[in-house]
Amino acid sequence: TQLLEQSPQFLSIQEGENLTVYCNSSSVFSSLQWYRQEPGEGPVLLVTVVTGGEVKKLKRLTFQFGDARKDSSLHITAAQPGDTGLYLCAGGDSGTYKYIFGTGTRLKVLA
Amino acid sequence: DAGITQSPRHKVTETGTPVTLRCHQTENHRYMYWYRQDPGHGLRLIHYSYGVKDTDKGEVSDGYSVSRSKTEDFLLTLESATSSQTSVYFCAIRPGLAGNEQFFGPGTRLTVL
């Protein structure tokens, strides 16, 4: 059974601080997605990474896919209250149509 | 906007009653998914579809059935609702295998009393 573990589960920080969220698995994925979800809404895709070692930047967010395609990280620089939300990673398997989701990291950025 | 709607958005029902949730897309995408989201469990796949009348089970399919008679609609049915099925249900579409990404609907909050 494929599992994706996210850490930390909860994170409360002050505006302007940096943070990193981790997504780890013992399985290899063909792709990995990061989503952000706000209360009462569905997850919204932030990025997809497909190549081992790949780094993508989205303004203050930096995403990295591990060399072995088993793990990923999300780094936020100078967090803002608007970054508050639930961050989810999801691993895709090219052999099936399925995705495996991590349990999520709930981030709160205090002004 | 990925053109996904879910109905109803909220529902309260009693144990033992049948419930059907509807997911509708306007994008004509082949792949559609039903997930449930519960605290501490993230999103778990219930069923998915890879075409009209082509469906398969996910990791938590017991107690649920699905149907897809048209490309644009994917229905999730709880034949006899139980309290353990109280959850938020999300539908998602996937534009294609190469795209990898999924786009989610707004969710349905179901409470089974």
Side-chain angles (χ1 to χ4, degrees), chain B residues 82-97:
Chain B
T82 67
S83 58
S84 65
Q85 293 176 312
T86 292
S87 187
V88 181
Y89 292 86
F90 287 99
C91 173
I93 61 172
R94 179 177 180 178
L97 283 178

Side-chain angles (χ1 to χ4, degrees), chain A residues 97-98, chain B residues 32-33 45 47-50 54-57 74:
Chain A
Y97 309 112
K98 301 180 187 180
Chain B
M32 299 184 75
Y33 302 77
L45 181 64
H47 282 279
Y48 63 101
S49 170
Y50 44 96
D54 290 324
T55 65
D56 205 349
K57 296 179 180 180
F74 192 30

Side-chain angles (χ1 to χ4, degrees), chain B residues 37-76:
Chain B
Q37 187 174 36
D38 305 288
H41 290 279
L43 282 159
R44 292 182 291 175
L45 181 64
I46 305 172
H47 282 279
Y48 63 101
S49 170
Y50 44 96
V52 173
K53 297 186 179 179
D54 290 324
T55 65
D56 205 349
K57 296 179 180 180
E59 60 180 309
V60 290
S61 60
D62 288 348
Y64 301 95
S65 62
V66 290
S67 65
R68 192 166 178 204
S69 58
K70 299 185 291 183
T71 299
E72 59 265 35
D73 290 324
F74 192 30
L75 304 180
L76 176 70

Side-chain angles (χ1 to χ4, degrees), chain A residues 1-109:
Chain A
T1 303
Q2 292 179 306
L3 292 173
L4 270 173
E5 296 184 357
Q6 283 188 242
S7 61
Q9 287 189 329
F10 301 95
L11 193 54
S12 181
I13 62 172
Q14 294 292 324
E15 182 177 4
E17 293 183 359
N18 302 332
L19 68 117
T20 302
V21 176
Y22 299 94
C23 178
N24 296 299
S25 177
S26 58
S27 303
V28 176
F29 293 101
S30 59
S31 68
L32 197 134
Q33 292 82 41
W34 284 93
Y35 296 82
R36 184 171 72 202
Q37 184 179 20
E38 299 191 20
E41 300 180 5
V44 175
L45 179 71
L46 295 174
V47 77
T48 297
V49 286
V50 297
T51 305
E54 182 176 3
V55 177
K56 280 192 174 179
K57 291 191 175 183
L58 184 65
K59 297 184 180 178
R60 294 176 294 99
L61 278 61
T62 301
F63 305 87
Q64 185 163 9
F65 202 11
D67 291 341
R69 291 185 287 130
K70 293 182 179 181
D71 54 84
S72 181
S73 63
L74 158 61
H75 182 80
I76 301 179
T77 302
Q80 299 178 358
D83 295 327
T84 293
L86 177 67
Y87 288 82
L88 296 161
C89 63
D93 183 352
S94 62
T96 74
Y97 309 112
K98 301 180 187 180
Y99 294 85
I100 302 296
F101 277 82
T103 51
T105 294
R106 192 166 296 281
L107 171 65
K108 187 170 186 178
V109 182

